[in-house]
Amino acid sequence: MSKLVVYGTPASTYVRTVRLLLEEIAVDYTLHRVDILNGENKSAEYLAKNPFGKVPTIEVNGELLYETAVITEYLDTTLADRKFSFSELMLQARMRQIIGKLGRNPVLLARLYKSCWYQQKFRCKIDSVAKLNVCT
Ligand SMILES: N[C@@H](CCC(=O)N[C@@H](CS)C(=O)NCC(=O)O)C(=O)O
């Protein structure tokens, strides 16, 4: 696999989701900043990568992929033997549901993370969060 590129704004929860997975898998990648606050995501250059103008988009082996749930599924399958996915269909669906709602409602997300059920089922390795330094 050629070096992976993640296009996006570090603070975006969707971008963080993809980067957290990459940190967990321990794969080398480049973050190419596309700042949604100054409209870079609507530039012709970025729209050529993702016609919806949303972040993240990844580039892997010359292919472009967008939509966080699709990206994470692809990365987990190709790089981690689905270590971070569920085999049970309902849990798979719930994971996609959470990923789909990530950027929409941070308060709901915080509540989800605090719930015991989610902590047990989606035990994430918080160490990765510290590595990302998403504010810079
Ligand atoms: N369905 C997309 C949503 C991504 C998304 O909404 N990203 C936000 C950042 S958190 C974005 O690009 N916003 C810029 C805009 O809508 O102009 C995904 O799952 O990747």
Side-chain angles (χ1 to χ4, degrees):
M1 178 182 281
S2 63
K3 193 166 181 187
L4 225 144
V5 184
V6 177
Y7 296 90
T9 311
S12 155
T13 50
Y14 293 104
V15 174
R16 286 189 228 188
T17 300
V18 169
R19 295 183 69 205
L20 281 173
L21 179 62
L22 290 170
E23 294 290 338
E24 286 299 323
I25 297 173
V27 64
D28 199 18
Y29 70 96
T30 302
L31 174 69
H32 183 109
R33 285 161 192 265
V34 175
D35 191 347
I36 57 173
L37 297 178
N38 71 16
E40 264 183 274
N41 55 316
K42 304 293 182 203
S43 69
E45 190 191 346
Y46 187 68
L47 288 174
K49 300 185 192 310
N50 179 340
F52 299 95
K54 302 282 185 191
V55 295
T57 297
I58 67 162
E59 190 166 353
V60 56
N61 296 329
E63 297 276 352
L64 293 159
L65 263 188
Y66 44 82
E67 287 303 313
T68 305
V70 172
I71 293 172
T72 50
E73 199 166 340
Y74 174 81
L75 294 174
D76 188 30
T77 305
T78 54
L79 300 175
D81 203 19
R82 295 189 66 77
K83 181 178 165 196
F84 299 94
S85 302
F86 295 100
S87 48
E88 195 192 313
L89 290 178
M90 180 51 83
L91 287 174
Q92 269 181 34
R94 289 246 181 266
M95 188 166 76
R96 289 197 192 105
Q97 182 177 281
I98 292 169
I99 290 173
K101 287 290 165 212
L102 278 180
R104 300 275 166 257
N105 192 334
V107 175
L108 171 69
L109 188 68
R111 284 198 195 126
L112 283 180
Y113 274 141
K114 281 183 190 154
S115 111
C116 292
W117 190 88
Y118 278 93
Q119 274 182 19
Q120 280 166 14
K121 295 288 181 194
F122 297 91
R123 190 171 291 129
C124 52
K125 294 178 184 156
I126 299 298
D127 289 355
S128 304
V129 178
K131 286 188 209 155
L132 289 186
N133 195 10
V134 293
C135 297
T136 56

